[in-house]
Amino acid sequence: MTGRCWGDPSTIKNVTIGGKSYPMGSVPITYRKPNVGASYPVVSIPDSDEFNSTVLGVQWQWNHYPDNSKWSLSERPGYLRLRAKQANNLWRATNTLTQRVQGPDCQGTIELDTANMADGDQAGLCLLNIPYGSIGVVKSAGVKKIVANINAKEDAQGVITNGPELRSNIVYLRASANLLTDKAVFSYSTDNVNFTQLGGQLNMPFDLGFFQGDKFGIYNFNTASAGGFVDVNWFRFVSSNRKTQQVQWRHPSQKICWKQVWRYLRQAEMQQLIWQHKSS
């Protein structure tokens, strides 16, 4: 089979959208909605999850194909259980459960029960992209410590910041992302009231280095062997501007923040998400 190349993508400097020219790699901040001929109710993109159902919400997507023997919503009702599989690092870890970040800014928080972690386990919350960042609990020689890893790239370790020893089983982990500045920070708490930032800022480039874009991720892996398990009581999403998470198709003169929608809606990924959700 033969094909024809219509041009070298590296030579493309601008792209035309809606009759306007934009630099390659950027998108317009606002864009006219299409006229679909009718008005429909406002709907919100799913985000927070109390894990009270026996099936995953449609907002979730596994990073890599899931091992369905290593996760459960029924072993401990009301919790997501993640069993640690062997992986050299977070980038290689399977069974990381992810969902899209949303603009203009947002934060995701989890309640993590670490009672059944084994030595070598690393579990927590991340923002997955290139580079990626995480805040979690690492267990070694029977001691659990809160650790942040910021601006890691594939198999290259980022900036590691060691936090305090975790002396209880429950910890609250948070990732706060600002899509206007493309920066994010991570923090932890033992009471879900007072949060302490750990590590520096994560860079969240809006480019084609990792086409999926930034996603929250809940993870658990073991660097030596198959390890223990953690239970996640909930994932809670907050944004300073809830209106940006609502989509309503009406008259084409209304405008939407195209950059925010562009980050979330990738047709192929949504199809993959639905397929993976049904198959699990």
Side-chain angles (χ1 to χ4, degrees):
M1 179 180 290
T2 60
R4 180 176 180 181
C5 178
W6 293 95
D8 180 358
S10 65
T11 65
I12 301 175
K13 302 300 182 182
N14 295 281
V15 59
T16 300
I17 303 176
K20 295 183 179 180
S21 180
Y22 299 92
M24 191 64 178
S26 67
V27 293
I29 298 301
T30 60
Y31 191 71
R32 188 181 299 272
K33 293 181 181 179
N35 186 353
V36 296
S39 295
Y40 297 93
V42 173
V43 294
S44 295
I45 297 171
D47 39 58
S48 297
D49 198 334
E50 299 294 314
F51 298 118
N52 290 326
S53 175
T54 57
V55 295
L56 286 171
V58 296
Q59 68 268 41
W60 295 109
Q61 180 182 19
W62 294 105
N63 187 44
H64 306 293
Y65 288 107
D67 180 345
N68 292 326
S69 69
K70 298 297 184 180
W71 71 275
S72 174
L73 289 169
S74 59
E75 289 183 19
R76 184 181 179 183
Y79 289 77
L80 166 70
R81 176 161 292 179
L82 290 178
R83 297 186 178 275
K85 295 184 65 178
Q86 193 280 328
N88 292 333
N89 51 54
L90 176 57
W91 185 256
R92 300 295 175 181
T94 59
N95 279 26
T96 298
L97 189 62
T98 72
Q99 70 163 280
R100 184 77 57 196
V101 300
Q102 301 177 35
D105 60 78
C106 60
Q107 70 179 29
T109 308
I110 62 171
E111 180 189 290
L112 183 70
D113 186 342
T114 66
N116 296 286
M117 292 182 71
D119 279 355
D121 282 3
Q122 299 187 29
L125 182 67
C126 67
L127 283 170
L128 198 58
N129 197 348
I130 300 176
Y132 61 89
S134 65
I135 185 167
V137 177
V138 177
K139 186 172 183 179
S140 177
V143 177
K144 293 180 290 188
K145 183 178 291 186
I146 302 173
V147 178
N149 184 10
I150 309 298
N151 290 320
K153 292 186 177 181
E154 291 105 336
D155 295 309
Q157 181 175 283
V159 179
I160 302 294
T161 303
N162 291 303
E165 179 182 338
L166 181 63
R167 299 183 180 275
S168 61
N169 290 325
I170 305 299
V171 65
Y172 302 89
L173 304 174
R174 175 173 292 173
S176 303
N178 188 322
L179 278 70
L180 299 180
T181 63
D182 289 331
K183 302 291 183 182
V185 294
F186 298 84
S187 55
Y188 68 90
S189 172
T190 56
D191 59 11
N192 199 28
V193 176
N194 301 296
F195 281 81
T196 301
Q197 182 178 330
L198 189 64
Q201 286 189 326
L202 171 69
N203 297 318
M204 301 192 304
F206 184 50
D207 57 28
L208 298 179
F210 187 55
F211 73 96
Q212 296 165 318
D214 289 275
K215 291 187 282 190
F216 292 110
I218 305 172
Y219 66 90
N220 186 23
F221 65 94
N222 189 297
T223 55
S225 61
F229 63 86
V230 294
D231 291 325
V232 182
N233 192 8
W234 41 255
F235 171 89
R236 292 176 182 167
F237 176 97
V238 176
S239 174
S240 65
N241 187 358
R242 189 69 186 179
K243 292 181 180 179
T244 64
Q245 299 150 44
Q246 296 178 333
V247 178
Q248 184 177 28
W249 301 110
R250 289 202 291 185
H251 194 274
S253 63
Q254 295 181 336
K255 293 184 177 182
I256 56 176
C257 184
W258 191 251
K259 183 175 182 180
Q260 296 156 14
V261 176
W262 182 273
R263 285 180 179 270
Y264 190 90
L265 298 177
R266 300 252 203 273
Q267 183 178 6
E269 278 227 322
M270 290 301 292
Q271 291 172 345
Q272 182 186 26
L273 183 154
I274 294 169
W275 179 85
Q276 290 186 353
H277 172 67
K278 288 182 178 179
S279 66
S280 63

